Structure formats: C-alpha cells, structure tokens
Amino acid sequence: MEIKIKKAQLKNRKKKPVDETKLGFGKVFTDHFFNVKYKDGKGWYDPVIEPYRKLQLDPTAMCLHYGQEIFEGLKAYRGPKGEIYLFRPTENIKRMNLSAERLCMAHIDEDLFMEAMKKLIILEKDWIPHGVGTSMYIRPTMIATEAALGVHPANEYLFFIVVGPVGAYYPQGFSPTKMYVSEEYSRAVRGGIGHVKAAGNYAASLYASRIATNMGYTQVLWLDSSEKRYVEEVGTSNIFFVIGDELVTPPLAGSILPGVTRNSVITLAKHLKTKVVERPISIDEVITASKNGSLKESFASGTAAIVSPVGHIHFRGKEYSINGGKTGALAQKLYNEILQIQYGLKKDPFGWRVKILDGKKS
Ligand SMILES: *Cc1c(COP(=O)(O)O)cnc(C)c1O
C-alpha cells in the first residue's frame, strides 16, 4: 500500500521550539501526522501523511463509549553524525497487534506500520532535538470509529501516529522517586487487559495515583489484585529490585505490561553477568529485605526514562529508604549502557538499533 504524503504549506508550519531544555514531555507535536482507516470487508485504506489537524469523530464513535482504544510509545534518537535510530521498533509493532487482538480491534499490517513511522520521522527529522537524552517521541494509536451505540467490536477503526520532540528525562541527573504501595486499588486484574497497552488501564490508575501524589509520593507501587500481596508494576513502568546479589522482577503473569525496556534490562543485566530472576516478589519480602539490608536497589523501567531509580517506599504508614535514597550502581550502569546503544554511541551487540536515516559521512 502506497503512503500518500501531503505536505503542510510553509506558511502553516509551526515554530520549532528553540530551547531544548524546556521541551518537557508530550506537549509539542510536529507539522504532520500519519493516519489510515479500516473497515470490515475492505481492510485498511487511504494511508496518508498529512498536515497535523484535529480528528473528526461522530459523537457515537465507539471508542468514546466502550473504550476500544490502544496505543504504543517509542522514540527516535539522533546519533552523533545526524543519523536517526529507532530502538527495537518491531517489539512495539508486535505489542500493538497483541493489544488489538485482546480488544477485538483490527490487526495492523506490520510493514505498513514500520513504513509509516519511518516516512513520518524522516519528513519531520528537523524536529528531532540534538542533545543526548532528548528524542522524538512516537505515539501510534488505534481507535474504534464506527458510529453506533451497543456493545460489540466496532467494524471501523482509525490508526494514527503523532510524533513530537521531548526533552531529556534527567537534565540534572537522576532524582530517585518515592513510591506509595496501594493496598486498596488495582490497576489491572489477571484475565483483564493489564498486559496490553489499552487506554482504559491508565484511566483505572488515576485515582490511586492522585492519592499517592497528595501524600507526596511520585508513583504508585501496584500489588496483585487478588491477594494484594505480590508486587506488579510501578506507575506505568515495570519494577526491579536488587536483593542480595540478584536482580529480581515479577514474571509476566497476565496483569503486567511486557515492557520493551524491561526485556532490554533483563537481557543486558544477564550480559553483564548479573543474575536475573523473574519470580513473584511479595511486598513483605521487599519490606523485610529493606529492614535487614539485603534490598540494595530498586528501579522502574520504561521508554520514557529508560531506568528510574526508587529511593523510598511507603507501606502501611511507614517509609523505608532504599540505598539511602540514592541511585544504585546497577541502575546507573544499565541506564548508561541502554542510552548509549539507543544514541549510536556504542556497539549494539543485541541488534536493537534500527537506523532509518544515514548521517553525514565523516
Ligand atoms: C508502556 C508501559 C510500560 C513500559 O513499557 P516499555 O515498552 O518499556 O516502554 C510498563 N508498564 C505499563 C503499564 C506501561 O503502559
């Protein structure tokens, strides 16, 4: 399928942000976006990169009523010679289709998805910031657009991709977060949709997040929904603990999102000869390990920050510090290694980097 490109008129183009340190996250988007429509019986049609605009939806578009909405999040990175990389994009493409499958939405052609991302990023390449740590965030999204009420899988969908420059997550270096253990609320249940990137999961998480924020905490540490005993995720990231000399993370057992960064951390830690164990970890074990000193580090993993160290845990009215509230050595090491692979600053032994545009010859 040929992707049509309709360029925005020069006079309608936005001003690009000049100060890369003020970019933040998710506020600035580029001049164009990609979209393609789907209808049962017809398949995907009219793929186009066109000037960024508002969407037109019928008020009964099913995504607005029954929550058939899924998304992905990945980044494009600028290398030292101006070359452009994606990081393990095939993993996001596959995960998007697993999300689509779980929500009875249309399967998206993997090649079309990849082609759309490449074409859009190359068209918008001047928007990619330059500093290490800055990048172009990519947000592929699929929504049900069939205009009808009544609960059933929609027969029409829109898949779109927007991109925008984002700032460095740690412009002043790491600042370890404080997490609040929620025993009352759940993000996801086993058998539910927690293992896919469905918009509804984030709506479900807001209430507990607000409680945590009001108490002065950065993130919610989610426990399993049935026993409220085992650790699952932190905020919208996967969670790791260093207990003794092992790196421990909960297994993907149905209510945990299989993070691309989680997988990269596991692979890289093993490569660095760290023992990695995927097993259930109870909150009691974490607290006991904190008390007896065997809990050396904890950090979250996700595309936004790569690795986000955790300095404190609040559980049942008490606060426990981890590594004296400071960033641990393993978190720092994994962060540096992954970042350098992403930006083309280091050999990529795992074949994670995908170059989508060559840089200047030196
Ligand atoms: C996206 C996400 C993650 C992290 O996934 P990455 O692929 O590493 O960015 C973890 N948990 C939740 C709930 C998420 O939505």
Side-chain angles (χ1 to χ4, degrees), residues 95 187 197 202 233 236-238 257 259-261 301-303:
R95 191 169 68 189
R187 185 193 81 92
K197 251 178 149 60
Y202 306 86
E233 296 203 59
T236 58
S237 308
N238 296 111
L257 200 283
V260 178
T261 321
S301 74
T303 295

Side-chain angles (χ1 to χ4, degrees), residues 245-264:
D245 53 10
E246 287 180 0
L247 180 61
V248 193
T249 193
L252 300 175
S255 46
I256 293 177
L257 200 283
V260 178
T261 321
R262 174 187 182 277
N263 180 274
S264 308

